[in-house]
Amino acid sequence: MKKFAASLLTAAMISSAAYAGGPVVVEEEPAVEVEAAKPRSGWIVPVIVGLVLVCAIACGNDDDPAPTVPTPAPPAPPAPPVP
């Protein structure tokens, strides 16, 4: 009977050690959705591009060189008086 009790006690000790920590349950955290905020400067770039286009159209096409008009020579100084 002692052998039976010893084997029963050994089996109880071994089986309880196997389940000592209990089952491991891993809970997944819910996914956090991060939404990027809309940029407040979304209107600046189109306005700047529009201003550049308006300036390019308003400035015109100045590919031709400007006509040059010769400047007249300055008048000669008066002759010194004869003594």
Side-chain angles (χ1 to χ4, degrees), residues 54-82:
V54 167
C55 180
I57 292 171
C59 291
N61 186 6
D62 290 339
D63 288 342
D64 298 331
T68 57
V69 177
T71 56
V82 179

Side-chain angles (χ1 to χ4, degrees), residues 11-70:
M13 290 175 64
I14 291 173
S15 66
S16 66
Y19 294 105
V24 177
V25 178
V26 178
E27 293 183 22
E28 293 184 17
E29 296 180 12
V32 178
E33 294 183 22
V34 179
E35 185 175 324
K38 291 184 177 180
R40 293 176 37 196
S41 63
W43 60 272
I44 293 176
V45 174
V47 168
I48 291 176
V49 169
L51 289 174
V52 168
L53 288 175
V54 167
C55 180
I57 292 171
C59 291
N61 186 6
D62 290 339
D63 288 342
D64 298 331
T68 57
V69 177

